Amino acid sequence: MNFFAERKLEYKASVSRYTPSFLPAGQSTQMIVGASGESDYQILSLSSGFYNKQKLKRVYYSGYVPINADKRLPVLTTKPPLVREHRLYQADWLMRFYKFRYDEILDEAHPNLDLELDPKIGWALRHPEMFPVDLQHADYEMILRVPGIGVKSAQLIVSGRRFAKIRLEQLKKMGVVLKRAKYFIYHPDTPASLRRLYPEMVRPLLLPRPKSGQLDLFGNTPLALPA
């Protein structure tokens, strides 16, 4: 991997119209998840190194599925870790497009991803001191870290707030998933007593299958969120 990364840099430095392209599609690799005892923190640390040092184009993750015919392979006592694979892809997305470092998503105290909630929500719930975010004044990088707000939505918020105050109805039109974002942003309709994040109260409301009849902090019956 180092060899190809260095050669690609050499070719890029000496490129001309007559220089043949070298590794035009870039490098990629795939990691098998669950075959051995690595934590998600260790896996994301390795992926981060691939992106930053070897300049890989993409890292893929695949939940380990044993082949029973080969007795040399590890045996799983549980189902293949497909949900874990999905969470790793989400965490990888945060590193590639949302400016998260791997050691922000996880650390030695929290070495594995939450299988019930996506990594962005998990990070937000572990950092209540960062919320709620005032979308009218927060910088782009902080807005990007609000659960339910994507890259395009964050860009629209930053450009739109120059002309008018951002309202909830406008956020929905911008593509913000208010079912998630409303717990992490400040807006005029937020009760004064709730102008801070209470992770122990918010987490149950963001789980995929809330209890029937349970009301959220705004008096609404929450709907099930996608995994």
Side-chain angles (χ1 to χ4, degrees):
M1 288 181 175
N2 286 332
F3 171 78
F4 284 121
E6 292 167 2
R7 292 287 289 166
K8 191 170 180 63
L9 286 176
E10 291 174 3
Y11 268 72
K12 187 175 181 180
S14 61
V15 67
S16 70
R17 58 184 298 183
Y18 304 107
T19 303
S21 58
F22 178 80
L23 208 65
Q27 289 193 79
S28 65
T29 191
Q30 184 174 28
M31 289 194 278
I32 306 302
V33 179
S36 50
E38 292 84 6
S39 67
D40 294 333
Y41 174 69
Q42 291 172 303
I43 292 173
L44 291 181
S45 173
L46 184 58
S47 297
S48 178
F50 284 150
Y51 286 130
N52 296 325
K53 296 177 182 179
Q54 282 81 20
K55 306 300 179 184
L56 260 65
K57 190 79 172 181
R58 187 74 188 274
V59 176
Y60 294 90
Y61 308 89
S62 181
Y64 172 63
V65 179
I67 301 174
N68 295 329
D70 195 328
K71 302 302 181 183
R72 295 171 297 176
L73 296 176
V75 177
L76 287 183
T77 57
T78 59
K79 295 181 180 179
L82 300 181
V83 177
R84 185 183 177 194
E85 170 193 316
H86 178 59
R87 296 299 181 211
L88 283 167
Y89 271 116
Q90 290 177 319
D92 186 276
W93 194 264
L94 293 181
M95 292 194 299
R96 293 167 58 213
F97 300 108
Y98 286 75
K99 302 183 179 182
F100 277 82
R101 300 191 315 271
Y102 79 92
D103 54 358
E104 290 181 297
I105 300 172
L106 293 172
D107 53 39
E108 293 183 355
H110 303 87
N112 292 304
L113 295 167
D114 191 327
L115 299 183
E116 295 182 312
L117 297 171
D118 73 59
K120 197 176 185 184
I121 293 177
W123 177 86
L125 292 178
R126 292 199 308 273
H127 295 84
E129 72 280 0
M130 307 292 288
F131 300 94
V133 172
D134 185 349
L135 300 181
Q136 200 64 37
H137 301 98
D139 58 29
Y140 170 77
E141 286 73 18
M142 190 61 221
I143 294 175
L144 202 56
R145 294 185 172 224
V146 176
I149 296 182
V151 173
K152 185 177 180 180
S153 301
Q155 292 171 345
L156 289 173
I157 290 170
V158 172
S159 61
R161 69 186 182 185
R162 294 181 297 173
F163 307 102
K165 289 187 176 182
I166 302 297
R167 300 292 181 183
L168 288 181
E169 58 272 14
Q170 295 171 321
L171 292 177
K172 190 172 183 180
K173 294 178 181 178
M174 292 177 180
V176 174
V177 183
L178 285 177
K179 294 175 186 177
R180 303 182 189 187
K182 65 183 179 181
Y183 301 110
F184 302 94
I185 59 176
Y186 167 81
H187 55 86
D189 301 325
T190 305
S193 59
L194 297 178
R195 290 179 183 175
R196 57 169 293 186
L197 176 62
Y198 296 89
E200 66 280 2
M201 297 172 63
V202 172
R203 178 185 168 84
L205 303 174
L206 291 172
L207 291 176
R209 295 179 181 177
K211 295 180 180 179
S212 177
Q214 183 181 14
L215 300 180
D216 65 13
L217 301 183
F218 298 88
N220 303 316
T221 302
L223 301 177
L225 298 173

